[in-house]
Amino acid sequence: MPHVNTVLGSIPAQELGFVSVHEHIGYGMPGSELDDRWWKTPEQRYEETVPKLRAFHDHGGGTIVDATGICNGRDVDYYRSLSAKTGVHIVACTGFVGGDTALAHFARATTDYLAGVFVHEISVGIGDTGAKAGVIKVGVSRGGRMTDLDKRIYRAAARAAVTTGAPILTHLAIDAEPAVDIFREEGLALDRVLFGHADDGVNADHTRDTWIAEQGGRVGFDTFGYETELPDPPFWARPRQERLDHFLRFVEVAGIDKVLAAADANCSALGWPGVKGHSVNYLFEQLIPDLRRAGWEQSKIDTLFIDAPADFLAIKY
């Protein structure tokens, strides 16, 4: 039976329920714990995060994939506590948001070493927590083109995915051509890769989303809610209707089986102010009503948030 690694143990894929496939319990850049203005105590983070996860659960949410990589504030013991407290399954990741967030120890490491780290965290556990990672995170560094380190991490991730059966999430879908080449060279089926952030306001015009789908990859529209209509929108914001129209066009062309959706929300930002007024619950409060107004039936919404994520997240050897 296909299973998924959560921080509280492996569960059958069909028990995930409603899944938001790209979120953050807490995300910050390396060294953010040294910031004396924005850093929060564990108690403050807990107080800020629990109501958001409880609301997600009350809306009908079942699972959140935490896409916070190594060096960016990943805290698996904390995730386990939150999951037990709120009833929300949490899937943790191994890997890196991008080569530019990997500390020197990892940045200097070989492909084989990095692949070994990823395999260990998926098959044995993260640190001494006993919790196994369920996905592998990779990303394009700032600048919009894959660096040599990015490519090394992507290749290591591909090898780990082939070895363990775990899927890969990418941070940004720009510069996808070298990524596709690497995955193919390593023998990884592209439906095991979700090319993320195809919809953000900075990179949407530079992302070959339909081309990725034609190659067999999945495309993440996973920054829903980062809108120019927010009181203080971030630089990657986008008008609400523009993003929705982009998403609907993509689904019409590529098909519902090629897309996954999320909000990329940060429950409690680490060492930076975060984005006020944005949370994972945008999916229930705004996106799903928008989809219904666009003519989507419940079965299609279920495919997007239940069936497709379960298939993607299932460990497949």
Side-chain angles (χ1 to χ4, degrees):
M1 180 180 295
H3 71 279
V4 175
N5 290 342
T6 80
V7 296
L8 293 181
S10 295
I11 64 172
Q14 65 265 30
E15 293 184 10
L16 294 174
F18 182 105
V19 179
S20 189
V21 77
H22 190 129
E23 306 297 335
H24 297 278
I25 300 300
Y27 175 86
M29 294 298 287
S32 59
E33 70 276 8
L34 303 176
D35 185 285
D36 59 4
R37 180 180 181 187
W38 298 113
W39 187 254
K40 302 182 182 75
T41 66
E43 292 77 14
Q44 289 171 323
R45 297 199 301 272
Y46 196 78
E47 183 178 358
E48 189 174 20
T49 299
V50 167
K52 294 175 183 177
L53 294 183
R54 280 184 169 156
F56 178 77
H57 186 267
D58 290 346
H59 279 304
T63 301
I64 282 177
V65 178
D66 179 84
T68 304
I70 301 168
C71 305
N72 285 112
R74 185 184 64 168
D75 187 341
V76 177
D77 280 332
Y78 179 47
Y79 300 169
R80 295 177 75 180
S81 144
L82 290 169
S83 183
K85 183 81 170 178
T86 65
V88 175
H89 299 301
I90 298 174
V91 178
C93 76
T94 186
F96 302 91
V97 171
D100 53 354
T101 70
L103 294 176
H105 170 78
F106 298 107
R108 292 193 292 260
T110 66
T111 300
D112 285 344
Y113 176 86
L114 293 171
V117 170
F118 303 159
V119 168
H120 182 89
E121 292 199 336
I122 295 163
S123 59
V124 178
I126 298 170
D128 59 2
T129 65
K132 298 176 182 179
V135 296
I136 308 168
K137 183 70 178 287
V138 298
V140 178
S141 294
R142 283 161 291 189
R145 289 291 180 268
M146 288 180 65
T147 65
D148 288 342
L149 175 55
D150 292 338
K151 292 175 182 178
R152 195 157 75 247
I153 293 170
Y154 272 63
R155 192 170 298 277
R159 292 179 185 176
V162 169
T163 299
T164 64
I168 293 175
L169 299 176
T170 84
H171 170 75
L172 304 180
I174 54 174
D175 203 24
E177 293 85 349
V180 167
D181 289 343
I182 288 170
F183 294 143
R184 283 179 170 158
E185 288 166 7
E186 296 296 331
L188 179 66
L190 289 178
D191 68 347
R192 302 304 292 148
V193 184
L194 178 63
F195 292 81
H197 301 343
D199 58 323
D200 79 65
V202 174
N203 298 295
D205 291 341
H206 311 291
T207 297
R208 299 178 64 191
D209 49 19
T210 55
W211 178 84
I212 292 169
E214 289 167 358
Q215 306 313 301
R218 304 185 196 233
V219 176
F221 279 71
D222 45 26
T223 60
F224 277 106
Y226 286 118
E227 300 171 341
T228 54
E229 291 89 341
L230 287 169
D232 186 17
F235 68 85
W236 62 89
R238 193 176 181 192
R240 174 178 174 181
Q241 191 63 47
E242 179 184 298
R243 185 195 314 276
L244 180 65
D245 290 343
H246 180 191
F247 173 75
L248 294 173
R249 285 195 308 271
F250 176 85
V251 172
E252 183 176 355
V253 172
I256 189 68
D257 61 320
K258 293 295 185 183
V259 68
L260 292 170
D264 191 29
N266 205 335
C267 289
S268 184
L270 306 180
W272 63 292
V275 178
K276 293 181 179 178
H278 179 255
S279 84
V280 63
N281 294 304
Y282 178 95
L283 302 176
F284 291 104
E285 295 164 359
Q286 299 289 347
L287 176 58
I288 290 177
D290 282 347
L291 293 176
R292 290 195 174 114
R293 281 190 287 270
W296 280 39
E297 296 182 353
Q298 187 62 44
S299 61
K300 196 170 183 179
I301 294 170
D302 289 346
T303 297
L304 178 64
F305 286 111
I306 299 175
D307 302 331
D311 179 65
F312 175 66
L313 293 170
I315 301 294
K316 297 180 181 179
Y317 293 99

